[in-house]
Amino acid sequence: MTTLRLGGPAARLITATTDDEVIEAVREADDSGTPLLIVAGGSNLVIADEGFPGTVLRIATSGFSLSGTRLELAAGENWSQAVARTVEAGLAGVECLAGIPGSAGATPIQNVGAYGQEVSSTLTEVVAYDRHTRETVTVPNAECGFSYRHSRFKADPSRHVVLRVRFALEDAGGLSAPLKYAETARLLGVETGERVPAVLARETVLKLRAGKGMVLDPEDHDTWSAGSFFTNPVLGEAAFATFVARVRERLGPDVAPPAFPAAEGRTKTSAAWLIDKAGFTKGYGTGPARISTKHTLALTNRGSATTADLLALAREVRDGVESAFGVTLHNEPVTVGCAL
């Protein structure tokens, strides 16, 4: 039930196909004091080898409603398929989020983003069950606490269970939103800020993702992963200056690390670059858990790995990067019953 294909059994598994069934299962677990784990696409979970000693609620709700440029998705809807349908309808705003595995309900939790787009840019509100008040609530974008790979739902994961997600897309006559990601624009032969047909933007992103092993393929062990395992570090001014000094000391005075402006005067750098320059190249590892042969940011199960194998590799990479550059990497997927 996870894209890593790791983790032990659930003590109990419930599959909910309607919002009412989701709420009923959550209330039952809360009333009985039973530990509860919410699973949908399983693309962002690292579950302990011992499994989960409680109720696993698999959200399998369905619902795709498009009215003009307004989109509502049930939490259990396949995200990648939903993106494809919006592009087919000629709408812009999420076309560069194509190919991301998992469900629609998971997207606001960590403010899913890729290739210059984030769901927070088009999301208008989240409909969720509030486990504290035991009511269904509608949370507008401004109250979601969105930041880089973060939200109020991720900050307090035990409170809300996402039921539906609503978006306001753009009708640009079949064109994409302005391209923000340099690699995408370069492949399309345009400048950043320009628009291209949304269909073409989606196809280009899918090719980029596939080349990095980021589109699910059961025959390709490079896709037996949780996608990017580490988030890109965001550093304050002093920390970034120290980091640059470490880079020059280790790699040479003319080497400049990737740097992108972030909020509050901070700078974001590349986790993939750090991992590679610390000596953990594509395909690194000799055991059943290794770095992807296509992308240094993905840790993969080569077919017989355990969660312990994966976490041992993750710790080796994290500690190696910290030793080389003084920067601590943090895992992006959620760990259940285990920790990095």
Side-chain angles (χ1 to χ4, degrees):
M1 295 183 65
T2 69
T3 54
L4 272 164
R5 305 188 185 206
L6 297 177
R12 183 188 184 199
L13 173 65
I14 297 174
T15 298
T17 58
T18 67
D19 289 354
D20 287 343
E21 289 178 355
V22 172
I23 293 170
E24 180 183 359
V26 174
R27 284 179 173 169
E28 179 185 334
D30 289 347
D31 289 344
S32 63
T34 303
L36 180 68
L37 173 63
I38 308 294
V39 175
S43 61
N44 202 47
L45 286 176
V46 179
I47 297 176
D49 291 315
E50 294 75 21
F52 186 72
T55 296
V56 171
L57 172 59
R58 186 172 76 91
I59 297 183
T61 53
S62 59
F64 178 101
S65 175
L66 190 58
S67 177
T69 58
R70 297 282 172 168
L71 172 67
E72 179 179 288
L73 299 174
E77 278 288 325
N78 180 285
W79 173 253
S80 186
Q81 293 174 10
V83 170
R85 293 177 70 176
T86 66
V87 172
E88 289 169 4
L91 299 178
V94 294
E95 62 280 353
C96 291
L97 302 178
I100 294 176
S103 70
T107 59
I109 294 174
Q110 67 164 27
N111 186 18
V112 164
Y115 296 100
Q117 289 183 343
E118 291 181 327
V119 294
S120 58
S121 299
T122 52
L123 183 146
T124 57
E125 55 193 19
V126 174
V127 179
Y129 175 68
D130 187 330
R131 296 169 70 182
H132 290 188
T133 65
R134 299 173 67 88
E135 296 176 333
T136 298
V137 297
T138 299
V139 185
N141 181 301
E143 296 177 16
C144 289
F146 287 128
S147 60
Y148 173 65
R149 300 298 178 269
H150 199 68
S151 71
R152 67 178 294 181
F153 310 110
K154 188 173 182 178
D156 187 5
S158 65
R159 178 161 185 176
H160 292 99
V161 179
V162 176
L163 301 173
R164 298 189 170 267
V165 189
R166 294 171 179 154
F167 299 86
L169 303 178
E170 179 188 6
D171 185 351
L175 296 179
S176 69
L179 297 174
K180 295 181 180 179
Y181 198 74
E183 186 179 14
T184 311
R186 185 171 62 252
L187 282 175
L188 288 165
V190 299
E191 299 293 326
T192 54
E194 293 187 40
R195 298 177 185 261
V196 298
V199 171
L200 189 56
R202 174 179 174 270
E203 291 175 350
T204 301
V205 165
L206 287 174
K207 289 177 182 176
L208 283 168
R209 292 186 66 86
K212 298 175 181 178
M214 297 294 185
V215 177
L216 293 179
D217 178 353
E219 303 302 317
D220 182 359
H221 283 278
D222 278 336
T223 74
W224 290 30
S225 76
S228 298
F229 196 87
F230 297 102
T231 56
N232 290 322
V234 179
L235 306 174
E237 185 175 351
F240 185 73
T242 301
F243 164 57
V244 170
R246 290 285 290 270
V247 168
R248 290 173 176 166
E249 177 185 337
R250 181 181 177 90
L251 303 177
D254 298 326
V255 177
F260 310 94
E264 300 173 351
R266 298 184 297 170
T267 302
K268 180 168 66 176
T269 191
S270 166
W273 187 90
L274 285 166
I275 292 167
D276 181 71
K277 298 304 181 184
F280 303 101
T281 53
K282 296 174 184 177
Y284 178 88
T286 57
R290 303 178 197 172
I291 291 178
S292 165
T293 66
K294 300 181 180 71
H295 193 17
T296 55
L297 204 47
L299 307 187
T300 67
N301 171 11
R302 308 317 294 184
S304 61
T306 64
T307 299
D309 294 328
L310 182 87
L311 292 177
L313 175 63
R315 294 183 189 111
E316 182 183 2
V317 171
R318 178 199 61 190
D319 294 348
V321 167
E322 186 166 19
S323 175
F325 299 111
V327 174
T328 302
L329 296 179
H330 298 281
N331 51 292
E332 184 168 323
V334 175
T335 54
V336 178
C338 56
L340 186 58

